[in-house]
Amino acid sequence: MALEDMRPPIETGCPDGFQYMHPMLRRNFGLWAYHEDPQPGVLLHVAKSGEKVWTVRAGTQRILDIFTLRKLCDIGDQQADGYVHFTIRSNIEYFVTDEAKVQPLIDALTEAGFIVGGTRNSVAMMSHTQGWLHCDIPGTDASGVVKAMMDELITEFKEWNMPNRVHLTTSCCQINCGGQGDIAINVQHTKPPKINHDLVANVCERPSVVARCPVAAIRPALVNGKPSLEVDEKKCICCGACFPPCPPMMINDAEHSKLAVWVGGNHSNARGKPTFQKLVAAGIPNNPPRWPEATAVVKNILNAYKADARDWERVGEWVERIGWPRFFEITNLPFTKYHVDTWKGARNSLNASTHIRF
Ligand code: SF4
Ligand code: SF4
């Protein structure tokens, strides 16, 4: 086939964001002089050219129905300059170049039921995974946890009460797209998978399931005359990695799939290294629809942070300064031997082969 007859590639992925940007932002891209925080939920950016733009931020539920999205866009057309932006923490942002439009825009958002806030030293909207809508492996409804917790943290979203910004995250499984956060609420399976041997041969590609296990706990086996798999339960760390490629290895369990809370995670940026979050509370019941136990742990940590941290210390920096013993003392969270990972036996149990896994 001649080159000119070939079908051009279909481009996928994110479109170029510049075409959707407010013209003032486009004009001044990379040319900002400074920014200020005039009030909670509002940012003022001043360009080197002297031009000013106010950003008004409101929380949304991330997975938006079309009616809510239309309502938000109408507010942007009527009260702002007709451009919106979604942050990675599910906030919608509007831009206005006229300061007189800021308060009417906030009033319109508030009247429509949206909460303005989430800037500077507040608790930002939680970033969450949304497995119950589109994924095949969730152990909880992360977006439901967000709703339940943010209902109780709404004042902290609207006001500047925290020592520094607080990023919360929730994840609906233990292994995949969850993020780092100052406080992260993650699924924690506590029992090895239960295998339905009648289905394994028809549903699972056994070599790839064996290769998925990070501690080499899965072996091929013949059960009732059928090819299946078996799990060495002494080695299994209940991570759930075998469940996505092999749904007959069911690990989700109403009683034994719990939530765990981790603190101090932070992505790296131009000024700082990444910090890894650390486990502080485990075995919390996965208790829909309001998850009161998990919410109580998070509020407890936030209250201790608010009372004890210095100005502009992030959660992880605060814990590093006061030390982990003091953290457990003032939050009253039980500290157990399971909080300490000594990596004892890791050389034998970790899967150390170099073959590529899918
Ligand atoms: S966190 Fe896990 S279950 Fe949730 S969407 Fe991501 S991969 Fe799926
Ligand atoms: S993949 Fe994870 S859950 Fe499955 S057997 Fe291995 S350690 Fe256990």
Side-chain angles (χ1 to χ4, degrees):
M1 189 190 289
L3 201 56
E4 56 272 18
D5 297 333
M6 287 176 72
R7 179 175 61 76
I10 297 167
E11 295 297 340
T12 54
C14 285
D16 180 5
F18 272 82
Q19 61 189 309
Y20 306 121
M21 244 189 225
H22 191 295
M24 189 275 179
L25 299 180
R26 251 194 327 243
R27 268 198 307 279
N28 294 290
F29 187 77
L31 298 169
W32 301 101
Y34 64 94
H35 80 272
E36 290 175 356
D37 297 271
Q39 65 186 86
V42 181
L43 304 164
L44 162 63
H45 283 86
V46 181
K48 288 181 182 157
S49 61
E51 285 189 285
K52 294 180 177 178
V53 65
W54 284 262
T55 304
V56 175
R57 181 181 293 177
T60 78
Q61 65 267 43
R62 182 169 215 176
I63 300 155
L64 290 164
D65 61 278
I66 194 76
F67 303 104
T68 309
L69 201 48
R70 286 215 170 106
K71 195 189 287 181
L72 286 165
C73 291
D74 286 346
I75 292 172
D77 283 336
Q78 288 152 16
Q79 305 290 340
D81 295 355
Y83 292 84
V84 297
H85 165 243
F86 281 93
T87 71
I88 56 167
R89 309 199 86 78
S90 319
N91 300 296
I92 188 168
E93 292 185 336
Y94 298 93
F95 306 97
V96 290
T97 47
D98 176 2
E99 189 177 5
K101 287 184 176 173
V102 171
Q103 197 53 48
L105 172 57
I106 294 174
D107 294 343
L109 283 164
T110 310
E111 200 176 307
F114 299 102
I115 316 292
V116 174
T119 58
R120 213 172 71 152
N121 51 327
S122 61
V123 174
M125 193 55 110
M126 292 170 84
S127 75
H128 68 91
T129 55
Q130 56 259 308
W132 278 13
L133 270 184
H134 70 77
C135 188
D136 56 355
I137 54 174
T140 190
D141 172 20
S143 37
V145 179
V146 172
K147 166 70 180 145
M149 283 190 188
M150 287 312 284
D151 276 355
E152 301 216 12
L153 298 174
I154 190 165
T155 314
E156 305 300 352
F157 178 80
K158 288 198 294 193
E159 294 173 10
W160 290 335
N161 288 333
M162 289 288 151
N164 199 339
R165 71 175 67 87
V166 180
H167 286 168
L168 306 180
T169 66
T170 66
S171 305
C172 41
C173 78
Q174 199 172 17
I175 48 169
N176 285 341
C177 57
Q180 287 273 334
D182 292 299
I183 304 177
I185 301 102
N186 294 342
V187 167
Q188 176 196 37
H189 300 298
T190 59
K191 296 271 184 212
K194 284 186 206 141
I195 305 178
N196 182 339
H197 294 289
D198 291 334
L199 296 179
V200 169
N202 293 341
V203 177
C204 315
E205 197 181 319
R206 293 187 307 152
S208 42
V209 183
V210 170
R212 278 287 275 254
C213 181
V215 292
I218 307 175
R219 287 187 295 257
L222 211 58
V223 180
N224 301 330
K226 289 184 184 165
S228 187
L229 297 163
E230 65 182 10
V231 170
D232 180 344
E233 297 196 353
K234 282 204 188 109
K235 275 187 171 181
C236 175
I237 54 170
C238 309
C239 68
C242 49
F243 176 59
C246 188
M249 296 184 76
M250 175 51 76
I251 192 157
N252 287 334
D253 180 286
E255 190 186 343
H256 300 296
S257 290
K258 307 278 193 186
L259 296 183
V261 173
W262 301 65
V263 306
N266 202 0
H267 292 292
S268 61
N269 60 24
R271 289 178 297 280
K273 291 188 293 188
T275 55
F276 293 106
Q277 53 201 17
K278 305 200 175 58
L279 177 77
V280 294
I284 303 166
N286 181 15
N287 192 4
R290 301 299 300 178
W291 289 272
E293 300 86 355
T295 305
V297 172
V298 170
K299 283 175 81 176
N300 175 9
I301 297 169
L302 282 175
N303 286 338
Y305 167 63
K306 189 155 75 168
D308 196 59
R310 292 179 184 154
D311 286 352
W312 304 114
E313 250 176 353
R314 292 289 289 263
V315 172
E317 292 163 345
W318 162 62
V319 181
E320 285 302 319
R321 177 174 61 78
I322 64 171
W324 287 100
R326 178 87 184 123
F327 170 84
F328 281 97
E329 209 176 289
I330 59 179
T331 53
N332 265 327
L333 292 168
F335 182 78
T336 69
K337 63 178 182 178
Y338 301 109
H339 285 86
V340 182
D341 189 350
T342 59
W343 293 87
K344 195 174 160 204
R347 187 164 290 280
N348 294 327
S349 64
L350 284 181
N351 184 352
S353 78
T354 51
H355 68 258
I356 296 169
R357 286 180 253 163
F358 296 96

